[in-house]
Amino acid sequence: MSSKKKASKVRRADPFFERERARYEHPLPSREYVAQILADEGRPLGFAELSDRLDIAAGEREAFQRRLGAMEREGQLLRNRKGAYILPERASLTAGKIMGHRDGYGFLIPDDGSADIFLDQHQMGKVLHGDRALVRITGIDRKGRPEGGIVEVTERANTRVVGRVFVEHGVAFVVPENRRIAQDILVPPEKKSKFKAESGQVVMVEIIEQPSKFSQPIGRIVEVLGNYADPGMEIEIALRKHDLPFEFSPAALAENKALPDKVRKADRDGREDLRALPLVTIDGETARDFDDAVYCEKKGRGWRLIVAIADVSHYVRPGMALDKEALARGNSVYFPRRVIPMLPEKLSNGICSLNPEVERLALVCDMNIGAGGEVGAYRFYPAVFRSHARLTYGQVWSWLSGEAKPQSETHQALLPHLGNLHKLFQALRKARAARGAIDFETSETQMLFNDEGKIESIVPVVRNDAHRLIEECMLAANVCASDFLAARRQTCLYRVHAGPSPEKLKNLRAFLGEFGLALGGGDDPRAKDYAALLEKVKPRPDFQLLQTVMLRSLKQAMYSPDNVGHFGLAYEHYTHFTSPIRRYPDLLVHRAIKAALAGEKYTPVGAWDDIGLQCSASERRADEASRDVENWLKCFFMKERIGEVFDGTISAVTGFGIFVALDAIYIEGLVHVSDLGEDYFQFDNIKHQMLGERSGQRYRLGDRVRVRLVRADLESNKIDFVLARDETPGTGRRPAGQARSGTAGRSAAPPVAATSGKKAAAEKTPTKKAATKKATAKTSEARKAAAKAKPAKSAKRPASAASGKTKRRR
């Protein structure tokens, strides 16, 4: 009997009945009809009930079950906890941002702060890292995480991607440098294209067709950067990988050109004249942009401190193209031997830089500070002044410590003022301790290079009281700025640092309990509780371990108009005022102060909350880009040391291994869990350790280990070690038959050097891509061959423990 004769009245009511009958010998209700029935019913329907509604015979139910399953997989249906079918439109969909993983899977990071939703490789084939999407939760994965399916891509984040182009078997594709974009981008041949790239070169590709469930992304080459081995290529890649603006718009350059080269007479109107006052700048040896000058004199039992900050807001006004560029950049980005400035050089190194012996405009914080280091009366005012000298940290400390004496008459005349600054610093440090601010002992490093641009060594940055002196002066001015604006109810961007989360606090207390230690403050500890515990454990041999765990329990500082105080510095209110040349929030604070002085209110273009989030994101973007470049340089440096043995300290413990920071050269790498020993090792994130089930062998954060370098991969920026318990370090020993690794990654090292190091510690805060499936498989094989797929055991360190320098801006 034909299907036409068997069809019931209910089934014939299907709007697409004829279409389905033409396709199948035994047609089922169309997907559209199933959705219509569910919509008309207005409630979830179980399989049996839905089958009855659609007049599904017993012999059809298995096929109907398969159809419903296909609808589920494609996001047209979903089931509730009771197994009943509902429409996605009637379901609660989760909005968020896609975060990809180099292994092909990913997560949706929900906007509402709920738990991340796991997305398998099939789901991630529809999106790229950074896209925004609506996801429905479909169940729980084997690790107990919510798992979902992408219902709709609401926003595409990637329009251009930097990567290396490869041509295999006539198929061209680009492998993105951002490893979170796990898909290759197909590049169809273009006869009229002016960009001719050779296989292996670094290119910028514009995506002309986004990925879908049927095809991978397709693009066209719009820029050829050069060979992967070209000097400086790692910086060019980082700029594009992290979408850092590095070229100023024609409009901004035109405004910059029109600015004066020196202070004009009209610019002095309404400003206090401080040109006779011996203000000086104290910075690092390599600094080129000077945005603060200081002066201190004795006043009764206390001091008068003047902090003069470059008046960038006089030249960069709201609505200017320069202002829009500054907001887009958010901050200057410091790479070795190259800086991407927030403002053009004429401003940052010229008219706004407080160079010696030239007139400059400033916004001044003039403070009276008591003998105990407490800030009393203060005032803000615009001024014109002249820096009397450009001094360096090393220079000033050599004079203050008595190691050397000033040679010129100018420097000799400044010595008494520097002495006042040092005495003031000692008082401010005592006040800091009394306030209970956390003072973590962290180390920083810098890379030294030879004349050929090759890394010669990596050395620790030695800090002295001249560094700390300037830091305390800047902290005092920042606090006054936030107090001034808060008192006048002027909204601004505070530099906020919240206390530890309940979960991190619980884990910290559990860890400390293993050592018989306790953190005071109950459920709401203060900075002074951290400071007291740090002081208590300083004499212990495991001090570095304890300090590191305490540091990692704290959150990252950020910019926000909502003042929640600064936990680490123990300030009720704090903002950034002292670096408007290189930080956009400081420029906004200057404008707000000027408006308050004029009895007005300052309102920026855009919401304060949005600007705060943007500036915080720009800061993290800059850190990630700088870290990428530094990691590449370290890999390059280590390539010639394959096989050598080193002593080091475990700097992080993860589920896939331990990271080891080397003593002598301040570089860290991974010892994969499979190389820890012939045992099953269990990761304990509370105790920060790996523990062998059979042997009891323990590898804990802070433990000393000896390792041998086995891999330094320039393409993935990874350094791998294996344990070398019985080998002698520092001898360059290699296993028998192993030759010294060459520098095939590059013909010459990139032109790199140390960054300016501008008052670094004062800015740290206690604390992370129309193709068929056949074509996809083809290019995947080509990618593996051409891009030299890495061993699975190598892995990047998680963002929460991304740098042995433990640096965050205050």
Side-chain angles (χ1 to χ4, degrees), residues 145-162:
R145 303 172 297 193
E147 184 173 7
I150 295 173
V151 176
E152 181 182 356
V153 180
T154 58
E155 182 182 342
R156 296 290 187 176
N158 302 275
T159 56
R160 293 192 173 196
V161 174
V162 64

Side-chain angles (χ1 to χ4, degrees), residues 94-97 108-114 132-133:
T94 303
K97 189 175 183 178
L108 181 91
I109 312 302
D111 295 337
D112 60 9
S114 58
R132 293 188 56 79

Side-chain angles (χ1 to χ4, degrees), residues 27-238:
L28 291 169
S30 67
R31 296 188 181 197
E32 295 89 342
Y33 194 31
V34 173
Q36 178 185 318
I37 294 297
L38 284 168
D40 292 343
E41 193 66 27
R43 64 183 178 87
L45 295 176
F47 177 74
E49 194 173 7
L50 182 57
S51 297
D52 290 339
R53 291 285 191 277
L54 290 169
D55 202 12
I56 304 296
E60 296 176 310
R61 296 207 169 193
E62 184 179 347
F64 186 56
Q65 183 78 72
R66 290 196 296 269
R67 168 153 289 188
L68 295 180
M71 293 179 69
E72 271 193 270
R73 289 192 298 273
E74 296 185 23
Q76 296 171 328
L77 288 181
L78 57 94
R79 280 192 282 184
N80 61 18
R81 293 181 179 179
K82 295 182 179 180
Y85 292 95
I86 57 177
L87 294 171
E89 297 79 24
R90 304 291 178 91
S92 178
L93 300 181
T94 303
K97 189 175 183 178
I98 300 294
M99 183 177 70
H101 188 276
R102 61 182 299 119
D103 290 337
Y105 61 84
F107 297 89
L108 181 91
I109 312 302
D111 295 337
D112 60 9
S114 58
D116 297 349
I117 302 173
F118 176 77
L119 302 171
D120 62 21
Q121 293 182 340
H122 173 73
Q123 294 296 327
M124 286 298 295
K126 309 171 188 177
V127 291
L128 297 177
H129 171 71
D131 289 349
R132 293 188 56 79
L134 290 172
V135 168
R136 60 181 177 87
I137 296 178
T138 57
I140 302 297
D141 73 355
R142 57 185 176 84
K143 293 185 177 181
R145 303 172 297 193
E147 184 173 7
I150 295 173
V151 176
E152 181 182 356
V153 180
T154 58
E155 182 182 342
R156 296 290 187 176
N158 302 275
T159 56
R160 293 192 173 196
V161 174
V162 64
R164 296 177 70 183
V165 63
F166 295 99
V167 181
E168 293 291 332
H169 308 294
V171 178
F173 58 96
V174 172
V175 179
E177 277 295 318
N178 187 345
R179 304 305 181 190
R180 291 188 180 274
I181 301 179
Q183 300 184 52
D184 299 335
I185 302 170
L186 294 178
V187 181
E190 293 185 64
K191 294 181 179 180
K192 297 183 179 180
S193 176
K194 62 180 179 179
F195 299 102
K196 301 296 182 183
E198 298 177 5
S199 185
Q201 286 190 311
V202 181
V203 300
M204 180 68 82
V205 61
E206 180 181 50
I207 297 180
I208 57 177
E209 189 172 315
Q210 294 285 348
S212 70
K213 64 180 179 180
F214 300 114
S215 65
Q216 65 191 92
I218 299 174
R220 60 167 168 259
I221 295 172
V222 294
E223 184 182 9
V224 179
L225 300 179
N227 296 318
Y228 197 70
D230 290 344
M233 185 56 68
E234 74 286 342
I235 294 179
E236 297 298 332
I237 290 173

Side-chain angles (χ1 to χ4, degrees), residues 17 130 155 230 234 239 318 352 380 462 533 564 573 629 718 792:
F17 175 76
E155 182 182 342
D230 290 344
E234 74 286 342
L239 292 174
C352 288
F380 287 90
V462 179
L533 181 56
V564 299
H573 45 71
V629 170
K718 294 175 183 175

